[in-house]
Amino acid sequence: MKIDLHVDEKRCLSELDRLSRFSSCDQPHPAVTRIVFSNEDLAARAYLKSLYEDAGLTVRVDGVGNTFARWIGTDDSLPAVATGSHTDAIPHSGMYDGTLGVLGGLEAIRTLQASGFLPTRSIELVMITSEEPTRFGIGCLGSRVMAGLLDESSLTRLHDQDQHDVLTVCRQAGFTGDVAGSVLKPDHYHAWLELHIEQGPELEFKALPIGIVTGIAAPATMRVTVSGQGGHAGGVLMPARRDALCGAAEMITQIERLGRGSPSDDLVVTVGQIDVHPGAVNSIPSKVMFTIDLRDVHLTSRDQCKTEIESTCHRIAAERSLGIEIQTQNADPPAGADPMIMTTIESACHDGGVSFQSMVSRAYHDSLFMAQVAPMGMIFIPCRGGVSHRPDEYSTPEQIAVGVDVLARSLALLAS
């Protein structure tokens, strides 16, 4: 499909910059902290809503704050084509992760509108609540709800550090709709597309403007609590110690060894949080909590490594006379991109004269769960140095414009 498109990258960049200012970060801009349902998040949502309405889109919000902005097609009875991402941001992060998929999706719609294109199927832009696990300890909260994986009772069991549950905080933020009504049927959308920065260095290294995602890695998250015996640092001799931190340190080292030794090249494992009690310089640690983030596009090797990690941690605890509890917070299956959508993105690249490659997403995204309610695809653009979740996260205006152009062409093909 040949369409004459002109992406207004200056407008898109200006809006990305404006959105990044809704932040509670204690570092200078462009560092961003925007936690779901915070005052900054609610202000950002209001700003986005004004942009949607200025573009003539019909806006609705569901019971957990997922926001839908619809460009009504000539046959609105057909399942719509959807695109979008998230706008919450982990502490001290950057301004492109997730937000590009929302504001880039909006720019793609406006670009198609300006070209005179009329979609047959409606095109819906979705801002998904809480992709990041920052506040409630679980990622992709809004897309899990849409996929029917979290119900109202589940939301009351998820708490932030102040022991406020998701549903209570959601209601306080003004989202009072029925959670059950947020669940989408498997045929709700004709297709789902997400534009995102790569969050890795491959596209930049190969000087390629577009990555077409073939699949998204399966994440598993665990929380390990190691219990020992505290005491005065000067009063307990070494043979008598049951130091929880020393045990946890040995476990963490072995977790890294298991990750490096995996037969799967795509497996990665990270210990990203550790909390030591009582945390005094002259006190033997009596309890340590740490988290494990384990990912692979292959479920078998992911689960095999998970089993080996659990077995190793229990063995070390027994050898050191320590207590241990391992909680699996989530262990999600991988998601494959839909062949029809991958072919559509390829056609869009050809129409726009853009080179591309197929690639795996080792980071997980809302598309992992949107794949359960619609055929799914993702478009990656390069980011400088492969850096993400840091203030120096960056994609050039040209890279963003190409990504928006390919997204717009893909949406046009899917909505025709």
Side-chain angles (χ1 to χ4, degrees), residues 92-114:
H92 308 114
S93 62
M95 58 182 280
Y96 300 93
D97 172 23
T99 57
L100 175 66
V102 177
L103 286 170
L106 176 61
E107 187 56 38
I109 290 173
R110 292 186 299 208
T111 299
L112 289 172
Q113 289 174 332

Side-chain angles (χ1 to χ4, degrees), residues 37 42 45 61-65 166-177:
F37 302 138
L42 297 179
R45 289 167 180 269
V61 182
D62 74 5
V64 293
V166 175
L167 199 61
T168 298
V169 175
C170 188
R171 298 295 184 250
Q172 290 173 345
F175 306 114
T176 58

Side-chain angles (χ1 to χ4, degrees), residues 305-334:
C305 187
K306 181 175 182 290
T307 299
E308 291 173 349
I309 287 172
E310 291 169 341
S311 175
T312 298
C313 289
H314 280 290
R315 174 182 58 78
I316 293 170
E319 291 172 352
R320 289 176 168 269
S321 299
L322 300 170
I324 186 169
E325 181 184 7
I326 303 177
Q327 295 177 317
T328 298
Q329 294 181 294
N330 64 278
D332 301 303

Side-chain angles (χ1 to χ4, degrees), residues 144-145 148-157 167 179-180 183:
R144 289 178 193 269
V145 170
L149 301 176
L150 287 177
D151 58 14
E152 187 168 307
S153 63
S154 301
L155 297 179
T156 61
R157 293 193 296 270
L167 199 61
V179 173
V183 179

Side-chain angles (χ1 to χ4, degrees), residues 68 79-82 124 126 184 186-192 370 373-375:
F68 306 82
V81 175
E124 192 153 79
V126 189
L184 304 182
D187 60 350
H188 183 82
Y189 288 127
H190 175 64
W192 166 266
M370 295 305 291
V373 300

